Amino acid sequence: PGARYSDINEVVMRARLIAVLLASVVGAGFSEQAPPAGSDAVVPAFDPRIYEIVEAVSAERIERDIRTLVGFGTRHTLSETESNSRGIGAARRWIQAEFNRLSDACGGCLEISLQSHIVEGEPNTRIPVDTEVVNVLAILRGTSDPNRYIIMSGDIDSRVSDALNSTDDSPGANDNASGMAGAIEAARVLSQHRYNASIIFVGLSGEEQGLHGGRHMARVAKDENWNIEGVLNNDMIGNIE
């Protein structure tokens, strides 16, 4: 259970819908489209480049990324962190490397960083021992309103029925390799344009153990006074029922 791949066409359809939603939110804010200060010009309500963004989404790339994430065996929050081929550490390093590769392709347009914190272990919880939880962020910085953010997130971790079993295979093809692959694909296509607002593409960790990565990012956002206009969280976008 959990290893079945959902219909890849459904994944792509949902990923394209997310691309439309995100592009629509930022569409009026294409940086090269903004009228000069003091101008009477009106920004069009709809930009045809949104079609380009949607059509650029690739089923093949999404499937490849899902299979890569599944290939790490388990992405459990408490799993292996030293291996380069298995466990949550290998998965997040691959996501970071992929974001770096995408940034190279757009001339260094993405700011890549790790958001790390220690969750203190407590007996009889899903985090029984002190555990480092690491989010992977790629920020496409806005040109004129960089503190206004649209966040597109997907959680990295997976689990079997036993929430504390960090060693058995837990492929998580749909929960949530599909959502993480959707966020990465959005980074690929949206990084080819520039916007007035900033977009954060992020892989969140510790979701299955208590939403720890998301909670930490929310604390950082509050401490740094991010102006968050919208959050599109991708969770199991490969569902067909």
Side-chain angles (χ1 to χ4, degrees):
R4 177 181 64 82
Y5 285 88
S6 301
D7 187 327
I8 194 66
N9 291 323
E10 181 74 9
V11 176
V12 173
M13 182 186 75
R14 290 172 181 269
R16 284 181 171 166
L17 175 60
I18 290 169
V20 170
L21 291 172
L22 184 56
S24 296
V25 171
V26 301
F30 277 112
S31 62
E32 63 269 35
Q33 180 187 349
S39 170
D40 292 331
V42 177
V43 175
F46 183 79
D47 193 296
R49 283 170 291 187
I50 292 176
Y51 284 113
E52 298 175 23
I53 291 173
V54 174
E55 290 306 313
V57 173
S58 165
E60 291 75 17
R61 289 194 301 252
I62 292 173
E63 180 177 5
R64 181 197 69 197
D65 290 349
I66 291 174
R67 291 185 181 276
T68 296
L69 289 164
V70 165
F72 293 114
T74 178
R75 302 185 304 278
H76 193 284
T77 303
L78 304 175
S79 64
E80 170 68 55
T81 60
E82 297 299 324
S83 171
N84 287 322
S85 60
R86 184 177 179 83
I88 187 70
R92 69 189 181 219
R93 284 191 293 275
W94 175 78
I95 293 168
Q96 182 182 17
E98 195 64 15
F99 280 153
N100 278 319
R101 191 179 69 81
L102 297 180
S103 185
D104 289 343
C106 62
C109 70
L110 298 176
E111 299 173 15
I112 317 299
S113 63
L114 298 178
Q115 228 178 41
S116 175
H117 73 294
I118 301 296
V119 178
E120 295 184 1
E122 297 182 17
N124 303 315
T125 70
R126 291 189 179 185
I127 302 286
V129 297
D130 290 359
T131 302
E132 184 182 29
V133 173
V134 182
N135 299 327
V136 186
L137 285 76
I139 303 177
L140 181 62
R141 190 66 64 182
T143 57
S144 63
D145 195 2
N147 196 50
R148 179 164 60 94
Y149 293 96
I150 306 294
I151 299 173
M152 174 166 279
S153 59
D155 54 274
I156 303 170
D157 53 317
S158 64
R159 50 165 279 208
V160 295
S161 296
D162 179 358
L164 294 180
N165 184 340
S166 63
T167 57
D168 285 357
D169 281 349
S170 177
N174 188 31
D175 189 8
N176 183 38
S178 65
M180 190 66 242
I184 292 171
E185 182 66 4
R188 287 195 186 99
V189 298
L190 292 172
S191 61
Q192 300 306 305
H193 301 270
R194 298 296 175 268
Y195 312 92
N196 292 331
S198 297
I199 306 175
I200 299 179
F201 308 97
V202 56
L204 299 171
S205 291
E207 191 268 350
E208 297 288 357
Q209 305 308 107
L211 307 176
H212 293 287
R215 292 177 190 274
H216 180 67
M217 187 173 72
R219 286 194 295 269
V220 171
K222 185 175 181 179
D223 291 344
E224 297 182 357
N225 294 314
W226 295 1
N227 176 18
I228 300 175
E229 188 166 85
V231 178
L232 297 172
N233 182 57
N234 302 305
D235 199 348
M236 302 195 299
I237 67 172
N239 276 356
I240 59 173
E241 296 180 358

